[in-house]
């Protein structure tokens, strides 16, 4: 097991109250596995990714649980030790590449600086590596001399990926990497993420797009209101979802190739400061019963984990 | 209902003072570069394409938010681009728009209900108590009970709820034509279907025509009777939704379809080369040829016209066989 997340809880202490953005989440990713975390905005999927990178700033805080990466307990590391892991062992790509690139520095400088920070190489060697990385993500190596504003959104995102993989990480976390991009560019970036997997790296993709996750992942984890509500093999989970939320979400999204009966999910996602009592999906669930006033257990059904009383 | 003829919109490119002094040539971004189509009463046409293809600009010209550089728009057989301002304002009641960003389209200092009342007052449809009553029942109609929501402020509403307000504000005028510009792309996934349902319910109730602008072909599949695919300011292919999706003739349409994420495994994949061209410097011949894997000599020289009756496409060598 490459990454093991056990009973992880990340909270944000706001003036209005405590938000349990990630609430008691347990999951794992194997070496060379492509896992997608699917859910809507506010479900905690991004917070989960940031928690793994230990990039949670106050008023947020990892308040419980354990994260083990490649045998190392990440939450016990010093900031300095964690900084070394970030980048070299775990790479991360964010949604908006423009905010994570320095507009005043050439792309080559930015990539080679990352390389030099973690590896004992000369500047010349680092630049050469930067060229190779750009070529690898499908850009011309001459792009090392470009400034971010000279690149399109898709090209910038590829630069981010080049930077993230320049140190040969074992795990790449991609947080909505293509949300701001057109489908054609998205397709190319996703192809590239799949290549990474073929090289034996693990990929953790955070997305709100169920079809995208279904197309690309080995396994899918579905999050709702801070909970992991279902996780399992991508194909089985999408063809035969167990949790009423997974079912409802799949039924509510249109598909370009399918004639299907689109059924809107009723209601809204809950306010996490005042989540509904018992199951957090209860107010929107057509299967809700008396039982659901208590928090449902996480049970295993045919190799899948599902947090619902229907299976408890 | 609506006829658009050879619509054009060129935006001048901003230059520095020095550049202006040194050269006389002015560059233009050809955002919309000769677009023509017709829509019937009660029909929904999805206008699809990547960002920068000119789909939003086309919509904005139709509702009167931009002036076209060239071309004509006929609304119920009346040419509307050359109308005087006052006449345009009268016309606008019947042509409404729902915007993409529900956070930017509402006035943060105005109560929810006042948005609707204002709309009625401006167009001289109703005032005071009568307007308020109409607003209340329209809020009920879009799923935001008037009693509860009339006095709320925009910041108290979620994105999905705001988009319902924007729809209510447009629909309270009983328009005959609506331009919906990516109305669900900024909405939570689980709430999108409900918003689309709501929009389409007004189509049925008012028998209105709708130009539905989207980058998402899976959304286009469920909302549109027809699809028009735009690339660099021009329509490349247009036809009945399912025909275009299952039997695309234009390689660009096919490439777009190949990239849409789907629960169904793809059987056929049509490639696309490189990145989108610069709209200041549109390629010669077929503007898609530098990206087209099937391009031949002819495509570099001659620009294909959009031809065909029910299913039209602008391509010298259209694809055969379906998806």
């Amino acid at each position: 097991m490459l990454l093991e997340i056990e009973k992880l809880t990340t909270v944000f202490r706001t003036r209005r109250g405590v938000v349990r953005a990630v609430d008691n989440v347990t999951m794992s990713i194997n070496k060379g596995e492509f896992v997608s975390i699917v859910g809507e905005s506010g479900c905690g999927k991004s917070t989960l990714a940031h928690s793994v990178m230990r990039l949670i700033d106050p008023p947020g805080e990892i308040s419980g649980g354990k994260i083990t990466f490649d045998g190392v307990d990440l939450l016990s590391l010093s900031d300095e030790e964690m900084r070394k892991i970030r980048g070299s062992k775990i790479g991360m790509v964010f949604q908006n590449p423009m905010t994570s690139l320095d507009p005043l520095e050439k792309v080559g400088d930015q990539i080679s600086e990352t390389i030099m920070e973690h590896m004992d190489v000369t500047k010349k060697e680092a630049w050469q590596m930067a060229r190779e990385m750009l070529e690898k993500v499908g850009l011309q190596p001459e792009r090392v001399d470009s400034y971010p504003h000279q690149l399109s959104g898709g090209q910038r995102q590829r630069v981010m990926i080049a930077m993230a993989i320049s140190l040969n990480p074992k795990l790449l976390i991609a947080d909505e990497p293509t949300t701001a991009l057109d489908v054609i560019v998205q397709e190319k970036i996703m192809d590239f993420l799949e290549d990474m997997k073929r090289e034996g790296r693990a990929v953790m993709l955070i997305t709100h797009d169920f079809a995208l996750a279904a197309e690309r992942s080995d396994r899918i984890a579905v999050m709702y209101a801070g909970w992991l509500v279902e996780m399992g093999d991508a194909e089985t989970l999408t063809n035969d979802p167990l949790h009423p939320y997974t079912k409802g979400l799949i039924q509510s999204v249109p598909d370009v190739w399918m004639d299907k009966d689109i059924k809107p999910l009723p209601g809204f996602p809950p306010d996490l400061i005042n989540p509904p009592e018992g199951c957090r999906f209860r107010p929107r669930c057509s299967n809700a019963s008396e039982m659901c006033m208590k928090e449902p257990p996480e049970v295993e059904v045919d190799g899948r984990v599902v947090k619902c009383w229907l299976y408890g | 209902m609506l006829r658009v003829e050879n619509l054009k919109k060129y935006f001048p490119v901003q230059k520095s003072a020095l550049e202006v002094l040194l050269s006389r040539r002015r560059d233009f971004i050809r955002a919309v570069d000769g677009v023509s189509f017709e829509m019937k009463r009660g029909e929904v046409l999805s206008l699809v394409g990547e960002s920068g293809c000119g789909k939003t600009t086309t919509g904005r010209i139709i509702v009167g938010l931009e002036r076209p550089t060239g071309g004509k728009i006929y609304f119920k057989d009346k040419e509307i681009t050359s109308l005087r301002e006052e006449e345009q304002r009268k016309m606008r009641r019947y042509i409404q728009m729902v915007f993409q960003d529900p956070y930017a389209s509402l006035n943060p200092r105005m109560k929810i209900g006042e948005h609707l009342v204002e709309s009625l007052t401006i167009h001289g449809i109703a005032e005071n108590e009568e307007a308020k009553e109409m607003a209340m029942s329209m809020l009920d109609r879009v799923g935001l009970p008037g009693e509860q929501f009339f006095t709320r402020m925009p910041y108290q509403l979620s994105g999905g709820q705001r988009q319902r307000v924007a729809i209510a504000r447009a629909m309270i005028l009983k328009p005959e034509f609506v331009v919906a510009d990516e109305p669900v792309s900024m909405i939570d996934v689980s709430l999108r279907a409900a918003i689309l349902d709501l929009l389409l319910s007004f189509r049925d109730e008012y028998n209105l025509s709708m130009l539905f602008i989207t980058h998402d072909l899976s959304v286009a599949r469920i909302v549109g009777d027809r699809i028009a695919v735009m690339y660099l300011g021009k329509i490349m292919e247009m036809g009945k939704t399912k025909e275009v999706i299952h039997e695309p003739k234009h390689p660009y349409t096919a490439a777009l379809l190949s990239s849409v994420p789907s629960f169904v495994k793809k059987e056929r994949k049509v490639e696309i080369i490189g990145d989108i061209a610069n709209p200041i410097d549109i390629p010669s011949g077929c503007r898609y040829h530098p990206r087209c894997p099937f391009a031949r000599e002819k495509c570099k020289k001659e620009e294909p016209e959009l031809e065909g009756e029910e299913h039209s496409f602008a391509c010298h060598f259209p694809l055969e066989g379906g998806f």
Side-chain angles (χ1 to χ4, degrees):
Chain A
M1 209 60 77
L2 183 65
L3 177 72
E4 263 187 289
I5 300 170
E6 287 164 79
K7 299 198 154 112
L8 183 75
T9 298
T10 302
V11 298
F12 287 87
R13 300 180 202 283
T14 73
R15 233 179 292 161
R16 285 178 56 219
V18 178
V19 173
R20 295 169 77 88
V22 171
D23 196 1
N24 211 13
V25 166
T26 298
M27 64 168 285
S28 62
I29 298 181
N30 289 313
K31 195 169 165 281
E33 195 182 25
F34 196 126
V35 174
S36 292
I37 318 287
V38 178
E40 300 175 75
S41 47
C43 73
K45 58 189 192 302
S46 227
T47 307
L48 179 67
H50 283 77
S51 301
V52 173
M53 293 294 270
R54 272 186 47 192
L55 290 173
I56 302 291
D57 291 326
E61 182 201 338
I62 297 174
S63 65
K66 199 173 169 193
I67 304 172
T68 317
F69 174 77
D70 214 6
V72 179
D73 177 3
L74 293 187
L75 298 183
S76 70
L77 296 181
S78 70
D79 288 350
E80 179 57 28
E81 288 167 321
M82 189 61 213
R83 206 179 56 78
K84 280 189 187 142
I85 288 203
R86 236 180 269 139
S88 69
K89 300 265 175 61
I90 310 176
M92 187 154 180
V93 181
F94 299 92
Q95 178 175 353
N96 190 342
M98 206 49 188
T99 54
S100 12
L101 286 170
D102 184 339
L104 299 176
E105 259 192 90
K106 283 182 183 170
V107 161
D109 281 319
Q110 304 195 40
I111 302 176
S112 55
E113 267 164 31
T114 312
I115 295 173
M116 284 160 71
E117 213 171 291
H118 292 271
M119 287 167 87
D120 189 20
V121 291
T122 65
K123 193 167 178 193
K124 210 177 154 194
E125 286 165 332
W127 265 79
Q128 186 48 41
M129 286 171 75
R131 288 168 163 274
E132 283 162 20
M133 285 303 146
L134 289 179
E135 213 170 355
K136 206 166 170 191
V137 296
L139 293 172
Q140 293 156 320
E142 298 80 61
R143 284 291 183 194
V144 283
D145 289 316
S146 301
Y147 289 92
H149 74 89
Q150 295 170 315
L151 305 173
S152 70
Q155 289 171 331
R156 279 182 214 136
Q157 196 55 288
R158 276 186 244 185
V159 169
M160 287 308 299
I161 296 175
M163 210 184 286
I165 60 165
S166 59
L167 299 159
N168 208 11
K170 292 180 175 171
L171 170 68
L172 182 73
I173 300 178
D175 185 5
E176 302 264 12
T178 56
T179 303
L181 306 174
D182 282 311
V183 282
I184 286 170
V185 184
Q186 164 168 286
E187 174 91 347
K188 289 182 178 165
I189 288 180
M190 285 299 151
D191 284 348
F192 182 74
L193 290 184
E194 273 199 61
D195 288 347
M196 306 253 323
K197 185 191 112 173
R198 273 182 222 111
E199 286 174 11
R201 280 179 249 267
V203 178
M204 179 176 183
L205 172 72
I206 314 293
T207 181
H208 66 274
D209 189 335
F210 219 122
L212 186 70
E215 233 175 47
R216 304 287 180 168
S217 335
D218 299 312
R219 282 191 300 148
I220 293 178
V222 183
M223 284 188 75
Y224 184 78
W227 287 357
L228 192 144
V229 293
E230 182 166 1
M231 181 161 188
D233 171 70
E235 213 175 315
T236 340
L237 188 143
T238 43
N239 291 336
D240 176 29
L242 296 175
H243 196 282
Y245 175 63
T246 318
K247 282 184 192 168
L249 197 58
I250 291 177
Q251 230 159 43
S252 77
V253 294
D255 193 290
V256 70
W257 302 120
M258 261 195 279
D259 269 323
K260 61 177 199 180
D261 216 3
I262 308 286
K263 280 202 205 109
L265 255 169
F268 305 100
D271 175 3
L272 285 184
I273 287 173
N274 256 318
E277 199 183 322
C279 175
R280 290 185 175 174
F281 186 60
R282 179 176 49 81
R284 303 177 80 181
C285 184
S286 53
N287 299 97
S289 66
E290 206 45 37
M291 194 92 105
C292 307
M293 292 300 286
K294 280 190 297 185
E295 183 175 333
E298 270 178 32
V299 284
E300 226 186 286
V301 185
D302 304 329
R304 243 186 296 174
V305 174
V306 55
K307 190 179 172 76
C308 177
W309 280 113
L310 287 177
Y311 310 92
Chain B
M1 187 73 185
L2 186 91
R3 194 163 88 243
V4 174
E5 271 178 15
N6 203 19
L7 198 66
K8 286 182 178 160
K9 179 71 187 180
Y10 296 171
F11 292 103
V13 177
Q14 289 281 348
K15 285 185 167 182
S16 69
L18 186 66
E19 282 172 315
V20 172
L21 285 173
L22 290 177
S23 85
R24 261 175 299 171
R25 201 182 129 213
R26 277 195 95 177
D27 284 332
F28 290 93
I29 292 176
R30 288 146 73 178
V32 178
D33 200 14
V35 162
S36 307
F37 60 87
E38 272 184 36
M39 286 175 68
K40 291 201 260 313
R41 174 123 220 180
E43 187 187 34
V44 179
L45 174 68
S46 308
L47 197 54
V48 304
E50 296 172 273
S51 46
C53 73
K55 55 190 195 298
T56 293
T57 309
T58 305
R60 289 174 63 89
I61 297 171
I62 293 172
V63 297
L65 288 171
E66 306 273 1
R67 282 203 161 274
T69 312
K72 292 197 157 58
I73 300 169
Y74 297 90
F75 178 65
K76 298 205 282 192
D77 290 325
K78 196 171 177 190
E79 212 285 310
I80 57 169
T81 52
S82 53
L83 289 182
R84 271 176 304 142
E85 215 167 288
E86 200 180 318
E87 286 177 285
Q88 272 224 349
R89 195 173 321 131
K90 271 189 216 150
M91 191 62 79
R92 231 170 265 164
R93 172 188 166 183
Y94 300 103
I95 307 180
Q96 284 293 308
M97 184 153 180
V98 177
F99 297 90
Q100 174 177 17
D101 185 353
Y103 290 88
S105 65
L106 300 183
N107 182 341
R109 304 168 75 165
M110 245 164 72
K111 288 178 190 151
I112 294 308
E114 285 169 359
H115 285 86
L116 278 65
V117 170
E118 189 191 44
S119 213
L120 290 168
T121 320
I122 286 176
H123 291 280
I125 295 168
E127 287 182 319
N128 308 328
E129 277 309 301
E130 195 195 351
K132 194 179 166 188
E133 244 167 63
M134 286 171 76
M136 290 288 244
S137 70
M138 181 50 78
L139 285 174
D140 290 343
R141 166 77 172 80
V142 300
L144 304 170
E147 290 291 329
Q148 240 176 302
F149 282 89
F150 190 94
T151 52
R152 288 209 194 162
M153 301 301 281
Y155 75 86
Q156 296 172 300
L157 270 60
S158 69
Q161 291 171 327
R162 282 167 195 243
Q163 202 58 304
R164 283 167 191 268
V165 176
I167 292 170
R169 179 178 55 186
M171 296 303 174
I172 201 166
L173 298 170
K174 294 207 165 46
E176 296 177 10
F177 191 93
V178 169
V179 173
D181 184 12
E182 303 264 16
V184 295
S185 67
M186 292 180 72
I187 309 290
D188 268 344
V189 200
S190 75
L191 308 178
R192 286 182 186 175
I195 299 276
L196 293 175
D197 259 12
L198 180 67
L199 268 171
L200 293 177
S201 74
F202 280 107
R203 191 261 306 254
D204 298 341
E205 188 182 334
Y206 296 167
N207 193 24
L208 54 79
S209 316
M210 185 153 66
L211 184 68
F212 193 96
I213 297 167
T214 179
H215 68 281
D216 189 340
L217 277 156
S218 44
V219 171
R221 176 178 185 121
I222 61 163
V223 299
D225 304 307
R226 287 193 300 149
I227 289 186
V229 181
M230 274 184 88
Y231 182 76
L232 280 180
K234 275 213 146 155
I235 293 178
M236 296 282 126
E237 180 161 9
M238 179 158 57
K240 287 206 180 104
T241 299
K242 281 195 192 154
E243 240 174 271
V244 172
I245 287 176
H246 291 285
E247 283 169 63
K249 295 290 179 195
H250 200 288
Y252 178 61
T253 313
L256 265 185
L257 283 163
S258 307
S259 322
V260 186
S262 165
F263 289 104
V264 182
K265 278 220 165 63
K266 287 170 191 134
E267 279 158 27
R268 190 173 159 199
K269 195 171 158 132
V270 172
E271 296 292 333
I272 186 166
I273 303 160
D275 286 319
I276 198 159
N278 187 343
I280 299 172
D281 199 9
I282 286 180
S284 66
C286 171
R287 56 192 64 204
Y288 184 61
H289 88 257
R291 303 188 73 189
C292 182
F294 314 110
R296 301 184 213 172
E297 253 340 278
K298 189 181 181 189
C299 309
K300 292 180 195 163
K301 291 178 190 142
E302 265 176 64
E303 175 151 35
E305 293 292 323
L306 187 69
E307 279 168 350
E309 285 293 312
E310 284 233 310
H311 187 169
S312 53
F313 40 89
C315 181
H316 293 309
F317 306 102
L319 299 174
E320 312 235 331
F323 261 82

